[in-house]
Amino acid sequence: MHWQTTRFSLDLSRPRVMGIVNVTPDSFSDGGLHATSQTAMAHCETLLKDGADVLDIGGESTRPGAPPVSQEEELARVLPVIRHAVTLGVPVSVDTYKPAVMQAALDLGADIINDVWALRWAGDAQGKTGKDVIAAHPNCGVCLMHMHRDPQTMQVAPMEGDVVPQVLSFLELLAQDLRVLGIDQARICLDPGIGFGKTVQQNFSLLARQAQAVPQGYVVLAGWSRKSSLAAVTHTSLAQAAGMNIELRRAPSVTAAVLAVQNGAHVVRVHDVRDTVSALRVLAAMQAEEMPPRSTAAPANT
């Protein structure tokens, strides 16, 4: 399988690691660490040295309760970083739901649009929607994520019941909408949206039954990195989880990434690139080792 993007056809015969570059002051995990153009550019280069296959640049936090950012502010944050990132020789993804930001990023040579709203955001002042932007581009990649409600309310009133068939139905419908617009399946990636309007139990249902939550034949992206559900199951109380140092989420995040790959994810979106790359190499070594053949000899007479 390959993921077709603007400049690259990404070979998915091995899992790919997407490194997160948050050019924001308020992202839940690393807000403010790379909020200037210079620090974000340097972080891009660090992630590549650590083994990232794709860079994912975002200028607006989508953590629960995060306030929206104006189009002008988001453009000011991400465009200088995108200009630098597209010179580094790897696919560049831009995490945005605004059509104008999508268009500006693609005009600079970005390869992938990663949209938590799955192209459902209303059109801009000129009436252009995200679907319009993607459909007009000859071959950019696009990632559609399932989100319940919106970042301001998604964890106030999370989903109810069995989320797996609900997520599957949502992703099937959105992917089919793009196919109708003439967008090739090889360009489309689907993300079940861990943490976006789901309870802890529902998130782990999506991990355990990931293959059932995403339509067959599409590239699958999993985004477990440093999510609060990991803290919730590695601490004895919600209060402990809420106060958990982000660094203590590193090992659970790497574990979740490996499990997601074992359950069919082609791309994992992570903060801790070096550790994730190392863990996936261990997984690959195990998978490459052939199991010893079963003995066909008849049992000895006793």
Side-chain angles (χ1 to χ4, degrees):
M1 179 181 284
H2 286 72
W3 187 7
Q4 180 61 52
T5 75
T6 298
R7 299 174 298 156
F8 302 87
S9 181
L10 195 60
D11 181 2
L12 301 175
S13 59
R14 66 171 177 86
R16 298 293 178 161
V17 175
M18 177 183 281
I20 298 170
V21 184
N22 285 323
V23 195
T24 59
D26 58 345
S27 290
F28 79 94
S29 172
D30 57 357
L33 293 180
H34 318 296
T36 69
S37 297
Q38 291 71 27
T39 56
M41 291 176 194
H43 190 53
C44 288
E45 296 180 8
T46 297
L47 293 178
L48 293 184
K49 290 177 183 177
D50 288 344
D53 300 295
V54 182
L55 296 172
D56 189 50
I57 299 167
E60 178 174 340
S61 174
T62 52
R63 62 179 171 78
V69 171
S70 72
Q71 174 180 299
E72 293 71 25
E73 177 64 21
E74 186 177 349
L75 287 167
R77 291 177 180 180
V78 301
L79 292 189
V81 185
I82 296 169
R83 287 191 186 95
H84 178 67
V86 297
T87 70
L88 299 178
V90 299
V92 174
S93 169
V94 180
D95 184 354
T96 186
Y97 58 86
K98 299 184 181 75
V101 179
M102 295 179 190
Q103 188 65 64
L106 293 173
D107 288 346
L108 288 177
D111 300 280
I112 299 161
I113 298 299
N114 181 16
D115 183 3
V116 300
W117 278 91
L119 305 180
R120 295 176 297 132
W121 189 253
D124 59 19
Q126 288 72 45
K128 181 182 287 187
T129 67
K131 287 181 182 179
D132 295 330
V133 174
I134 301 302
H137 196 280
N139 57 355
C140 71
V142 58
C143 184
L144 307 177
M145 191 195 78
H146 177 276
M147 177 170 61
H148 176 64
R149 302 172 71 93
D150 57 61
Q152 289 74 43
T153 63
M154 61 188 180
Q155 293 307 120
V156 176
M159 297 176 71
E160 297 180 354
D162 186 353
V163 296
V164 172
Q166 298 179 64
V167 170
L168 174 63
S169 177
F170 174 94
L171 293 175
E172 282 181 331
L173 180 62
L174 271 293
Q176 185 58 35
D177 284 349
L178 293 191
R179 299 295 304 280
V180 169
L181 293 175
I183 297 168
D184 192 87
Q185 182 170 328
R187 295 171 56 186
I188 303 170
C189 174
L190 302 177
D191 177 354
I194 301 302
F196 283 79
K198 289 96 172 173
T199 66
V200 173
Q201 181 179 1
Q202 288 170 340
N203 287 323
F204 283 99
S205 290
L206 288 169
L207 178 59
R209 299 159 60 198
Q210 184 176 264
Q212 301 171 38
V214 181
Q216 295 295 310
Y218 288 90
V219 179
V220 178
L221 182 146
W224 274 91
S225 188
R226 302 184 181 179
K227 294 292 176 71
S228 60
S229 288
L230 298 172
V233 299
T234 52
H235 279 63
T236 56
S237 72
L238 289 178
Q240 283 182 318
M244 186 179 183
N245 186 302
I246 287 298
E247 282 302 305
L248 298 180
R249 300 187 188 185
R250 184 189 300 266
S253 295
V254 172
T255 302
V258 171
L259 292 172
V261 167
Q262 283 189 302
N263 285 349
H266 304 99
V267 183
V268 286
R269 182 179 181 271
V270 305
H271 299 86
D272 304 301
V273 167
R274 182 172 53 188
D275 292 339
T276 305
V277 168
S278 295
L280 290 175
R281 285 175 179 163
V282 173
L283 175 65
M286 182 195 74
Q287 292 174 333
E289 184 67 23
E290 292 185 357
M291 295 293 289
R294 293 183 179 182
S295 173
T296 57
N301 292 330
T302 57

